[in-house]
Amino acid sequence: MSYGTPENMEGIEAYYTHIRRGHPPTAEQLEDLTSRYRSIVGGVFPLRANTNRQVEALQRTLDELAGEGRYKCYQGLKHAAPFIEDGVAAMAADGIKEAVSIVLTPQYSSMSVGGYVKRAKEEAEKHGIRLAAIESYHLHPELISALAKRVKAGIDRFGEDRENVLVLFSAHSLPEKIVEMKDPYPEQLLETSRAVAEQAGISRWQFTWQSAGQTGQKWLGPDILETIDSLSREGVKNVFVAPVGFVSDHLEVLYDLDIEARKFAAERGMRLERIEMLNNDSQYMKAMAETILGAAVVLKL
Ligand SMILES: CC1=C(CCC(=O)O)c2cc3nc(cc4[nH]c(cc5[nH]c(cc1n2)c(C)c5CCC(=O)O)c(CCC(=O)O)c4C)C(CCC(=O)O)=C3C
Ligand SMILES: [Fe+2]
């Protein structure tokens, strides 16, 4: 399962309305989102083809690890077609009786993965499918190794400044109320960050939030722009961002980091680079496939 993205520029309004649980955005909100997509996509929404490639790569990895024809991958998206319910219904139509679900994000929050799982389970129940839902895989050794390699390779891009780079691990902010709910999201993100830093041999790093929504309620902070501002006051010149809550090239990376945060840093005389996203990286696929095979044991598949 993955977040989903519009089919085309005309599809942005319906997509945004779905994210807002049926409440259409104001003209201003719609224009704001449309202009962000316009600056990255030019009519092509990268997340769509990217998710397709991830599903194909995961299928190949499962075939290799478990044997050809043992597992079949279906795709279900949170806010776009094929929706999560469509994916589960497609399984049922093929006669599938047992399934494992996994989300293309490594850490669990009741407000992120929890929402995917609830919908998948409800639909699976309707069709009499037994479903084992994977909640997180944020410390899988293959995932940590893949991220650590990318952090090291990215820091090398700073050339002779490489000794003076601060690594900023980041993830999508969520409303602050998740902390009172004892949600594991912040801790799991720190655990991923710590493990990657350790394996990459990084001592100078911080964690920061990004891409918070504007809903009136308080979101988890500090936001990456605040963090960059404080770092600039401390004289930091080189920042390397590793958004470890995301795995793909999409709006929050291609706009919020590559355009917005990079410009904000440049205005403060700082250089900002970011990790290459995992997309269909083979170690990432192995991390998911092994997690899936582990969950399948629970179903005695
Ligand atoms: C935790 C989390 C992840 C990571 C985990 C996961 O992947 O599931 C994630 C990923 C993504 N979020 C995405 C896009 C958007 N998210 C929005 C709004 C929101 N995100 C939220 C949370 C998350 N979002 C929340 C709490 C809201 C507020 C509304 C609500 O309460 O639900 C909005 C509305 C406008 C805006 O605020 O920008 C957009 C356009 C895209 C696709 C980008 C593309 O198309 O390339 C991706 C991968
Ligand atoms: Fe989002």
Side-chain angles (χ1 to χ4, degrees):
M1 297 186 280
S2 179
Y3 202 85
T5 193
E7 290 275 3
N8 49 40
M9 296 304 271
E10 290 69 46
I12 295 175
E13 186 167 12
Y15 171 70
Y16 203 174
T17 302
H18 194 275
I19 291 175
R20 294 166 46 85
R21 295 173 194 79
H23 303 287
T26 64
E28 199 188 341
Q29 287 170 321
L30 180 60
E31 178 44 37
D32 178 61
L33 181 58
T34 303
S35 73
R36 280 186 276 147
Y37 274 120
R38 214 181 280 129
S39 45
I40 66 157
V41 298
V44 184
F45 289 73
L47 186 56
R48 205 158 262 279
N50 200 53
T51 304
N52 294 340
R53 280 194 296 270
Q54 285 167 320
V55 175
E56 284 157 24
L58 181 61
Q59 179 72 63
R60 279 197 303 276
T61 311
L62 283 166
D63 287 346
E64 278 160 28
L65 292 182
E68 196 96 11
R70 189 77 185 80
Y71 289 84
K72 183 164 179 206
C73 294
Y74 293 80
Q75 182 177 155
L77 307 176
K78 199 175 203 176
H79 297 299
F83 288 98
I84 292 168
E85 292 77 6
D86 301 332
V88 177
M91 288 176 168
D94 287 349
I96 304 278
K97 295 278 176 241
E98 282 120 2
V100 175
S101 72
I102 190 161
V103 184
L104 293 169
T105 182
Q107 301 83 11
Y108 179 86
S109 165
S110 62
M111 285 189 68
S112 62
V113 174
Y116 291 87
V117 167
K118 183 167 178 285
R119 283 170 54 188
K121 280 194 168 156
E122 276 168 13
E123 190 65 23
E125 227 162 82
K126 282 189 205 161
H127 297 282
I129 294 175
R130 287 205 299 146
L131 180 83
I134 292 160
E135 298 202 322
S136 60
Y137 45 94
H138 68 292
L139 283 175
H140 193 288
E142 295 284 345
L143 174 79
I144 300 303
S145 160
L147 288 169
K149 279 183 196 163
R150 279 159 197 256
V151 168
K152 277 204 260 186
I155 289 177
D156 282 343
R157 294 208 299 269
F158 285 86
E160 48 193 54
D161 286 333
R162 87 169 68 80
E163 301 305 322
N164 282 312
V165 176
L166 185 130
V167 177
L168 269 186
F169 293 100
S170 72
H172 202 299
S173 181
L174 283 174
E176 217 175 58
K177 66 176 187 229
I178 66 156
V179 174
E180 288 148 47
M181 293 155 59
K182 299 247 182 316
D183 194 275
Y185 187 63
E187 189 51 40
Q188 289 193 357
L189 283 160
L190 278 178
E191 284 170 358
T192 304
S193 306
R194 219 176 275 132
V196 172
E198 193 173 309
Q199 200 167 121
I202 306 295
S203 52
R204 285 183 79 205
W205 64 273
Q206 289 184 20
F207 182 82
T208 191
W209 300 99
Q210 64 165 91
S211 313
Q214 266 108 40
T215 53
Q217 52 187 331
K218 260 196 115 187
W219 288 60
L220 294 168
D223 181 76
I224 187 159
L225 300 186
E226 279 170 61
T227 303
I228 291 170
D229 197 45
S230 325
L231 292 173
S232 82
R233 286 164 209 281
E234 289 163 28
V236 173
K237 294 277 173 235
N238 299 293
V239 173
F240 186 67
V241 188
V244 291
F246 298 131
V247 297
S248 307
D249 286 306
H250 54 54
L251 193 69
E252 278 80 350
V253 173
L254 302 174
Y255 184 85
D256 297 354
L257 296 178
D258 291 2
I259 297 179
E260 190 178 43
R262 178 169 286 152
K263 177 164 173 276
F264 190 86
E267 285 164 0
R268 283 155 186 76
M270 295 159 83
R271 174 170 174 194
L272 183 147
E273 300 285 339
R274 72 146 168 97
I275 197 169
E276 271 190 51
M277 300 310 288
L278 293 171
N279 295 316
N280 55 4
D281 174 90
S282 61
Q283 282 187 293
Y284 175 44
M285 293 302 132
K286 200 159 175 235
M288 287 202 292
E290 286 180 355
T291 308
I292 289 166
L293 297 180
V297 170
V298 178
L299 289 177
K300 299 204 171 49
L301 291 182

